[in-house]
Amino acid sequence: AAMSRKGVKLLVDSLSRSSKHFNKSEVECLVKLFDTLVARASSHFAGAGFDRTVFRDTLHSAFGMTDDVVLDRVFSTFDRDNKGCITVAEWVEGLGVLLRGTLEEKMKYCFAVYDLNGDGYISREEMFQMLKNSLLIQPADEEPDEGIKDLVEIALKKMASTYLLTDYDHDGKLSFTDFEKAVRDENLLLEAFGPCLPDIK
């Protein structure tokens, strides 16, 4: 269902007002791109948005993001209402954070991507999953899982400020507070568990 020119103008005006990162002409371009992507998507969402497949293909071709696990998590961070499709508002807001977000916004975004089960912590298992997916394992490597487990332990020691003091049960979970503190001390830790931001040249 193509929108009238007046409808598009009203939508662009509304999204421009709420967007912290894009000006009006940029929002207009994003809305046009959104319409193109919706046309490619399955008609299941009746023009309201596009699905995971179109989203993955778009991020892959635009930003070279290829990791399926990461792309699924990025989709989930964009899809705020959990309806399985990206709406135009989610599209503009999500790209704002992805491309021009503040450090604060990017920390929340990366943390959400790494928190695979959405419980508010990045667990040992989640770190392991993310690192296993993002590291290149050489066929000659003996027991690559052991090396990844070592990396997880190093990451926990580096990032969990409370790890040695209060983590009596050694559940090895990283809270957002720990993640935030570690990233503020060392910005390179933002993508510690795998690349989830576009590599913009």
Side-chain angles (χ1 to χ4, degrees):
M3 207 184 284
S4 69
R5 274 221 295 261
K6 187 177 181 186
V8 170
K9 186 185 177 320
L10 288 170
L11 177 65
V12 168
D13 287 349
S14 163
L15 289 170
S16 299
R17 279 195 300 277
S18 63
S19 173
K20 291 185 278 200
H21 300 293
F22 297 118
N23 65 34
K24 197 169 177 174
S25 63
E26 290 169 328
V27 168
E28 204 168 335
C29 289
L30 290 174
V31 169
K32 283 179 185 163
L33 176 58
F34 177 83
D35 287 341
T36 307
L37 296 172
V38 168
R40 261 189 239 160
S42 63
S43 58
H44 171 67
F45 298 112
F50 54 87
D51 58 17
R52 195 175 292 266
T53 308
V54 172
F55 182 80
R56 285 162 82 153
D57 292 348
T58 305
L59 263 64
H60 176 75
S61 58
F63 306 125
M65 294 172 83
T66 55
D67 187 317
D68 285 344
V69 173
V70 169
L71 285 169
D72 272 345
R73 293 299 306 147
V74 174
F75 180 87
S76 298
T77 64
F78 271 62
D79 182 22
R80 293 195 178 276
D81 60 7
N82 287 324
K83 289 195 174 151
C85 84
I86 304 296
T87 64
V88 68
E90 290 170 336
W91 173 242
V92 172
E93 188 183 329
L95 283 177
V97 172
L98 206 62
L99 300 174
R100 297 186 179 161
T102 61
L103 180 61
E104 184 71 32
E105 288 170 321
K106 285 183 176 177
M107 284 189 292
K108 285 181 181 158
Y109 159 80
C110 289
F111 188 86
V113 168
Y114 300 145
D115 179 12
L116 299 177
N117 65 2
D119 69 351
Y121 292 93
I122 304 172
S123 68
R124 246 191 193 93
E125 291 71 35
E126 289 166 331
M127 291 176 206
F128 182 83
Q129 279 306 120
M130 296 301 293
L131 287 169
K132 189 171 180 153
N133 278 320
S134 65
L135 294 173
L136 244 52
I137 306 295
Q138 298 302 321
D141 286 355
E142 288 179 30
E143 297 194 47
D145 285 5
E146 288 308 309
I148 296 169
K149 283 178 185 160
D150 292 346
L151 274 176
V152 167
E153 291 310 313
I154 292 166
L156 270 171
K157 283 190 176 77
K158 173 91 178 129
M159 296 178 92
S161 57
T162 56
Y163 182 62
L164 296 170
L165 303 172
T166 57
D167 193 16
Y168 297 119
D169 55 357
H170 293 287
D171 63 351
K173 286 182 175 178
L174 207 57
S175 68
F176 178 72
T177 309
D178 287 332
F179 183 75
E180 181 182 30
K181 184 184 179 309
V183 172
R184 286 196 190 282
D185 290 347
E186 177 50 77
N187 287 179
L188 288 173
L189 291 173
L190 184 61
E191 293 182 274
F193 305 115
C196 58
L197 289 164
D199 202 5
I200 300 163
K201 303 283 183 273

